[in-house]
Amino acid sequence: MNKRLNSEKAGSFPRFGRRRSKRELETGSFKLKGLNPKVCGKNQNPVELFWKSDLNHDQILEKVVQFIEKLASGQDKSKAPEIPNFVESFLKMVESRIATYEQSEASAKLGFNEEYTSFFEAVSCLSKIVNTLDEFPFDSATTSCFNRAGSVHHRAMLLSEYQFLALLDISKRNCNVTVDSKTPKTPKQSFFNSNQETDRCVKPEYDSGTGIVFPYFPPQSVANMNQVALAMISAGYEEECFIVYSGLRLKALDFEFSNQGYENVNMEDFQSMDWESLEGEIDNWIHIVKYCTTNLFSVERKLCNSVFPEHSLIAQKLFCDLATSLTIRLLNFPNAIVLIKQYSAEKLFKFLDIYETLRDLTSSLDSELSALDLISETSETQRRVGVAAVTIFCQLENSIKSDNGRIPVASGAVHPLTRYTMNYLKYACEYKDTLERVFQQHYETEGSTRRKVQKQESKNAVEDNDRIPKTSHFSVKLMMVMDLLDAKIEMKSKFYRDPALRYIFLMNNGRYILQKIKGSTDIDEIMGPSWSGKRTSDLRQYHKNYQRETWRKVLQCLNHEGLQTNGKVSKAILKGRFKNFNTLFDEIHKTQSIWMVSDEQLKSELRVSISAVVIPAYRSFLGRFKPHFDSGKKAEKYIKYQPEDIEGLIDKLFEGNMTSMGRRRHNN
């Protein structure tokens, strides 16, 4: 303001007057002086009452514009300019119009028609009058005009502030949007809807990709906001404009968070929650973050750009501040989660979900914002969640090492530790790319651990040249888990007293592990063909060992040698051979029918291999030596089974029939 402003004179007025406090602007708690709804009818537009009564408005406005242009371009600025009478008329007209708005219910509407634009054209002229006169020396006429224009302009800005607040304030909205029933947690009343009567029937806007109804302001409301904001910024009221916008948009976004079902949860709440409840909170957090990254941020940025299209840097800054406030609130959740230390291994997957959600959030911020500090903070939170995920995954190793139970699994079935570990790894490998990233970040910041991993990688590279990828930290960790599981299963197999059952146990667990690995492309690629080949070879060896331990004595009974005495077949020895065969086979059938082989292919392979060895030997032995028995019941006393009987009984092995378990003690 010109230092020569004669502010001590009666009727003088500061250029912009008192600015509203941040609290007033955010809450709309201030009131316009002199509001009186009785001045005009409820449904009558006060703009029309005023402008229709003054038919010379356009001519006067045109003369004012010409006067301002003349002062700005060619007027001698060394002396005070002459103020034409039409300027005073113009000021009276605008002041009367403002007074009409201030005294009517329509103060929050300003007409919303073609008169809306004309009002802000007049306000723009007011601003130019004040700024232009400030460049000239002041005499009494200039001072009076300057102060009068400043006073009217100040009132116009107060009205603009109030109007801007009314346009943005979601608490005054009264427009319902029909919500797609397939869209969860979408608010019935969205903060992008206008409360203006002319906008209430606007058709909801749908996203072509998802069919979701987006919260939005109708185009006319956005255009009105733009005019108000442009007038305020041009007049030097940008701070008030920004405070109103930021405060009310933040309020609206908080309201949307609540409508989406997201509330702040503090550490005390986390500590007292059971895991099932906490999973629900994590799912809800993931929902709201995805809603922000796929919808809220882009729509809010679009709104900023639409309200402030002439000031792109301002729009960028306002959006950046809003997104920062929301993001910090969202980051409070995972930052609190990672402080809870008591997590078992199966909680890993929710942490990986959080990690991936933060990754998407970081990517969204990177594309939407130039807020490097916020991106850095989000990345740091993501790193903390990654550290927690590594710690939780490592508990899998601890659970394998600490499983020291000495009671064998009944029937030689797959051990629960094997099932748990392999299902865990298969599910974990659905997050393979994420786990690779998590372990990479962790070991990059852990020097000593990194050296241990490098040493293990080198060892693995020598032992299994086809394992890929060689430098993957997660791959190394997974292979270490598999080695631990192999060692633990080998140790537990020694608790079986029957060597044959021990090999059934090893085959069951080995086949289960191999099938799980082949069923997961990611694990199969990590372990490599050599590992699978070695395990397949181990299974064949277990199979051979089982046959040797179980059927060697049975086959010895069917040996043709040693049956002759003095060149003749000894009936006594022959009877003993048949008797021993029957006893051994009965015992094997009785025992091994209870043993469990759950893999149908393995069960079939075992039965086929047993039949291939036992039945031909028995048929040959029976065919050669049966004639040495007298026909009748005496022969049946020793020849209990026909080859077909043997085959049928072999097909009943490994069914895991537990009905007789209560009548006999398990042989282990």
Side-chain angles (χ1 to χ4, degrees):
M1 185 181 300
N2 194 300
K3 62 183 178 179
R4 291 169 293 175
L5 175 62
N6 185 12
S7 60
E8 70 273 13
K9 292 185 178 182
S12 64
F13 198 92
R15 179 177 178 184
F16 298 123
R18 183 176 79 83
R19 297 191 175 185
R20 295 295 177 185
S21 68
K22 183 177 180 180
R23 174 66 178 168
E24 288 177 315
L25 294 170
E26 289 178 346
T27 63
S29 59
F30 62 87
K31 295 184 180 296
L32 293 179
K33 181 179 179 181
L35 284 177
N36 183 2
K38 297 181 180 180
V39 171
C40 61
K42 182 176 181 180
N43 298 320
Q44 195 165 14
N45 192 330
V47 179
E48 296 175 359
L49 289 176
F50 177 76
W51 290 111
K52 287 184 178 179
S53 65
D54 190 346
L55 301 177
N56 295 320
H57 163 262
D58 292 339
Q59 292 88 342
I60 293 177
L61 183 60
E62 183 178 356
K63 288 185 177 182
V64 170
V65 172
Q66 293 173 354
F67 171 69
I68 295 171
E69 291 176 350
K70 179 180 178 182
L71 290 180
S73 59
Q75 181 72 31
D76 182 2
K77 296 183 180 180
S78 62
K79 59 182 180 180
E82 181 179 351
I83 307 299
N85 292 333
F86 60 77
V87 173
E88 178 66 17
S89 299
F90 171 75
L91 295 177
K92 288 181 179 180
M93 290 165 55
V94 177
E95 187 174 33
S96 177
R97 185 176 185 184
I98 293 172
T100 303
Y101 286 137
E102 290 175 341
Q103 294 173 350
S104 78
E105 288 183 355
S107 58
K109 296 184 179 180
L110 293 183
F112 294 119
N113 50 32
E114 64 276 5
E115 305 295 354
Y116 190 85
T117 301
S118 69
F119 173 77
F120 283 103
E121 288 177 356
V123 172
S124 176
C125 284
L126 275 175
S127 180
K128 292 177 181 178
I129 289 173
V130 173
N131 292 332
T132 304
L133 290 180
D134 197 30
E135 299 176 0
F136 290 88
F138 276 46
D139 56 17
S140 59
T142 305
T143 299
S144 176
C145 182
F146 180 85
N147 289 341
R148 178 73 181 282
S151 175
V152 176
H153 188 259
H154 175 69
R155 290 175 64 186
M157 288 300 101
L158 289 181
L159 187 62
S160 297
E161 289 177 22
Y162 189 79
Q163 166 62 7
F164 201 45
L165 185 148
L167 286 167
L168 287 163
D169 192 357
I170 63 166
S171 65
K172 296 181 174 63
R173 299 281 175 249
N174 186 28
C175 181
N176 293 328
V177 173
T178 302
V179 180
D180 187 343
S181 60
K182 297 180 181 180
T183 304
K185 300 182 180 179
T186 303
K188 293 181 179 178
Q189 180 173 327
S190 172
F191 58 77
F192 279 90
N193 294 329
S194 172
N195 66 333
Q196 312 307 334
E197 294 179 2
T198 55
D199 295 326
R200 287 186 184 177
C201 297
V202 176
K203 186 178 180 180
E205 181 177 333
Y206 291 87
D207 174 74
S208 59
T210 63
I212 295 176
V213 179
F214 284 122
Y216 73 110
F217 282 115
Q220 184 58 55
S221 292
V222 176
N224 294 339
M225 291 180 210
N226 169 243
Q227 284 189 295
V228 177
L230 187 60
M232 293 181 71
I233 294 172
S234 300
Y237 276 65
E238 62 274 5
E239 182 178 351
E240 288 81 354
C241 179
F242 302 158
I243 291 174
V244 169
Y245 186 88
S246 296
L248 290 176
R249 290 313 302 148
L250 187 58
K251 175 183 175 182
L253 293 170
D254 285 341
F255 178 72
E256 184 68 1
F257 268 29
S258 297
N259 279 336
Q260 294 295 323
Y262 179 73
E263 301 293 341
N264 289 333
V265 182
N266 57 41
M267 273 300 298
E268 293 182 359
D269 295 329
F270 283 149
Q271 295 288 358
S272 61
M273 281 185 185
D274 57 32
W275 176 245
E276 183 177 353
S277 299
L278 197 52
E279 278 187 312
E281 293 295 336
I282 292 172
D283 289 340
N284 201 23
W285 178 84
I286 291 172
H287 164 77
I288 192 65
V289 174
K290 289 184 177 179
Y291 182 63
C292 285
T293 57
T294 60
N295 181 11
L296 213 56
F297 283 158
S298 60
V299 172
E300 192 63 30
R301 184 183 183 94
K302 181 179 179 181
L303 179 64
C304 282
N305 290 336
S306 298
V307 175
F308 303 97
E310 301 84 1
H311 301 87
S312 58
L313 293 180
I314 291 174
Q316 174 76 4
K317 177 65 167 56
L318 289 172
F319 170 70
C320 205
D321 290 345
L322 288 170
T324 298
S325 179
L326 292 182
T327 303
I328 293 300
R329 179 178 172 185
L330 292 172
L331 294 182
N332 289 337
F333 184 91
N335 282 330
I337 285 284
V338 297
L339 296 177
I340 303 176
K341 303 300 182 182
Q342 301 301 321
Y343 286 123
S344 55
E346 60 269 16
K347 309 302 188 294
L348 170 70
F349 309 109
K350 282 298 179 185
F351 275 77
L352 293 177
D353 288 338
I354 294 174
Y355 184 92
E356 290 180 346
T357 303
L358 287 170
R359 176 199 61 200
D360 296 340
L361 178 60
T362 303
S363 176
S364 174
L365 294 174
D366 191 31
S367 62
E368 292 285 359
L369 300 173
S370 58
L372 297 179
D373 290 342
L374 181 60
I375 295 172
S376 176
E377 177 64 25
T378 306
S379 298
E380 176 59 21
T381 301
Q382 183 184 3
R383 187 196 65 80
R384 294 191 195 106
V385 174
V387 170
V390 169
T391 302
I392 293 172
F393 186 87
C394 291
Q395 290 184 19
L396 180 63
E397 295 180 68
N398 298 332
S399 66
I400 296 173
K401 292 176 182 178
S402 62
D403 190 333
N404 295 318
R406 301 181 65 84
I407 300 177
V409 177
S411 306
V414 177
H415 198 282
L417 178 64
T418 303
R419 291 186 183 277
Y420 176 86
T421 302
M422 295 310 301
N423 286 321
Y424 188 95
L425 293 178
K426 183 177 180 179
Y427 192 17
C429 279
E430 293 181 9
Y431 295 85
K432 179 176 175 290
D433 293 339
T434 299
L435 282 167
E436 295 283 9
R437 179 62 179 163
V438 163
F439 275 88
Q440 179 183 350
Q441 287 181 327
H442 178 68
Y443 289 133
E444 283 176 352
T445 58
E446 297 290 335
S448 60
T449 307
R450 171 60 180 160
R451 285 191 291 273
K452 291 179 182 179
V453 173
Q454 286 177 330
K455 182 178 179 180
Q456 181 66 38
E457 286 173 350
S458 300
K459 178 182 178 182
N460 291 337
V462 172
E463 293 178 350
D464 294 306
N465 290 329
D466 61 341
R467 286 185 176 183
I468 55 175
K470 298 267 189 322
T471 58
S472 166
H473 306 298
F474 171 64
S475 300
V476 171
K477 182 63 67 175
L478 188 145
M479 288 186 282
M480 291 172 64
V481 169
M482 291 302 304
D483 291 341
L484 281 173
L485 180 62
D486 280 347
K488 186 64 67 171
I489 293 302
E490 178 68 26
M491 182 198 74
K492 290 182 178 297
S493 72
K494 297 177 181 178
F495 296 145
Y496 293 94
R497 295 177 185 176
D498 187 334
L501 183 55
R502 174 175 182 261
Y503 291 120
I504 290 293
F505 173 78
L506 289 172
M507 277 190 283
N508 270 325
N509 285 270
R511 176 61 69 94
Y512 185 86
I513 292 171
L514 195 60
Q515 292 299 100
K516 284 291 182 180
I517 288 176
K518 289 182 178 179
S520 172
T521 303
D522 291 322
I523 304 181
D524 196 28
E525 289 179 352
I526 291 172
M527 302 311 297
S530 289
W531 188 93
S532 297
K534 183 178 183 304
R535 293 311 182 274
T536 302
S537 177
D538 290 343
L539 286 174
R540 286 196 294 265
Q541 188 59 49
Y542 296 149
H543 192 154
K544 292 178 181 179
N545 293 345
Y546 159 77
Q547 282 192 314
R548 184 178 64 250
E549 292 291 339
T550 300
W551 300 100
R552 179 181 54 187
K553 293 181 181 179
V554 175
L555 293 175
Q556 286 175 353
C557 295
L558 304 177
N559 193 336
H560 292 200
E561 297 179 0
L563 291 174
Q564 293 185 350
T565 302
N566 298 324
K568 295 182 179 181
V569 173
S570 171
K571 289 186 178 181
I573 296 175
L574 186 61
K575 291 176 181 179
R577 290 284 187 92
F578 273 105
K579 185 177 180 180
N580 288 340
F581 174 85
N582 295 335
T583 300
L584 288 172
F585 186 82
D586 285 346
E587 181 61 27
I588 290 171
H589 178 263
K590 182 180 180 180
T591 300
Q592 297 194 13
S593 293
I594 298 171
W595 293 359
M596 169 63 74
V597 176
S598 53
D599 184 88
E600 292 298 326
Q601 182 180 349
L602 176 60
K603 186 190 298 184
S604 176
E605 290 172 358
L606 283 168
R607 290 171 175 172
V608 168
S609 67
I610 294 168
S611 297
V613 172
V614 175
I615 292 176
Y618 184 76
R619 182 177 285 112
S620 174
F621 189 84
L622 182 63
R624 180 173 178 180
F625 297 106
K626 182 178 180 181
H628 292 279
F629 288 98
D630 295 332
S631 60
K633 293 184 178 181
K634 196 170 185 178
E636 293 176 358
K637 179 180 179 180
Y638 299 101
I639 304 174
K640 185 176 180 180
Y641 297 111
Q642 295 299 316
E644 295 77 13
D645 300 328
I646 299 293
E647 185 174 8
L649 291 171
I650 289 174
D651 284 341
K652 295 181 180 180
L653 298 177
F654 316 121
E655 288 291 349
N657 184 357
M658 304 299 289
T659 56
S660 62
M661 285 295 289
R663 301 191 300 269
R664 63 185 304 277
R665 187 174 180 178
H666 193 272
N667 186 12
N668 55 37

